[in-house]
Amino acid sequence: MADKITDMTHAQLSTWLMPIIDGSLFESRERLVSLLAENTDRDALESEFREFYEGYCGLAFELEASEESLLSILRAADRFAPLRRRVAIVEAARKTSPLGRQARRMSDKPLLTDPQPEIKVSTLSDDGFHALMETFANWGLFAARERIVKLQKVAPTAAAEEQLKSEILDFFVYYLELEQFLEDYDYDPDEGLELRPEVAERLEQSVAEVEAGTAELIPLEEVAKELGVKLKCTR
């Protein structure tokens, strides 16, 4: 639907936007802001950043199918020239391929054929990690999202609809800038997490049963639900 954004009514825009601006990223960002304000310890920040990053991946999933369509809208109107300049900066700075960006979001690992990120998040000093969290918490994406939310609540005049469409594109460009910024960071949200003893024992038992041919195979989704494990696509 993104290629028809210029023809959408206020109500249609709101429907299209719902999964984009109501994702878990925005709830996590609010928690991250609170933790930073409280000057909380690094462990708590790292735990919340894990949620923040997963929320970013969810936002990327919602936007990636519309990326080319949104870019075509930016290129079609002179009034979006400032946004086009920002996109040009992103494209000039990008180091990864489209496939590589998808791979990082799905498996947390860059493609070997792409340049490897230079900064390992887990090795940052406490001050460096705190500063990085401040950067993410204050990204322009979140202010743009708030402007969209407010515009969705005003009377749907022609002027309001045009302003809403402009804010959507601004939001999209902030997302592209965030995506490019993250390219320099080597981050695995599962790094440092320990496997609970009961889960490890269950896995070892299952492996033994499979090898012995006595296992009653259970769908992976059911096992994940029982153990409280989030499944992640790696293809």
Side-chain angles (χ1 to χ4, degrees), residues 3-87:
D3 57 339
K4 299 178 181 178
I5 187 175
T6 53
D7 300 324
M8 286 184 188
T9 65
H10 191 90
Q12 289 171 328
L13 278 172
S14 294
T15 299
W16 177 72
L17 281 168
M18 188 175 299
I20 295 172
I21 64 170
D22 286 345
S24 63
L25 172 65
F26 305 102
E27 295 177 359
S28 178
R29 185 260 180 172
E30 292 304 309
R31 294 192 297 269
L32 188 61
V33 168
S34 296
L35 291 172
L36 289 167
E38 296 166 2
N39 198 29
T40 192
D41 60 52
R42 178 163 180 165
D43 286 345
L45 284 175
E46 287 183 339
S47 179
E48 190 55 54
F49 182 57
R50 190 175 297 115
E51 298 297 324
F52 181 97
Y53 186 81
E54 292 294 336
Y56 149 75
C57 291
L59 175 64
F61 177 80
E62 294 294 341
L63 283 174
E64 63 185 358
S66 303
E67 183 167 327
E68 286 304 317
S69 297
L70 291 167
L71 287 172
S72 69
I73 295 169
L74 286 175
R75 297 178 183 123
D78 289 341
R79 65 192 179 98
F80 297 131
L83 293 178
R84 287 203 301 271
R85 286 193 288 271
R86 288 168 56 192
V87 172

Side-chain angles (χ1 to χ4, degrees), residues 149-170:
V149 171
K150 289 179 181 178
L151 282 167
Q152 286 182 296
K153 297 176 181 178
V154 304
T157 64
E161 287 181 15
E162 286 304 307
Q163 183 62 32
L164 178 58
K165 292 169 185 176
S166 294
E167 292 295 351
I168 291 169
L169 293 171
D170 189 39

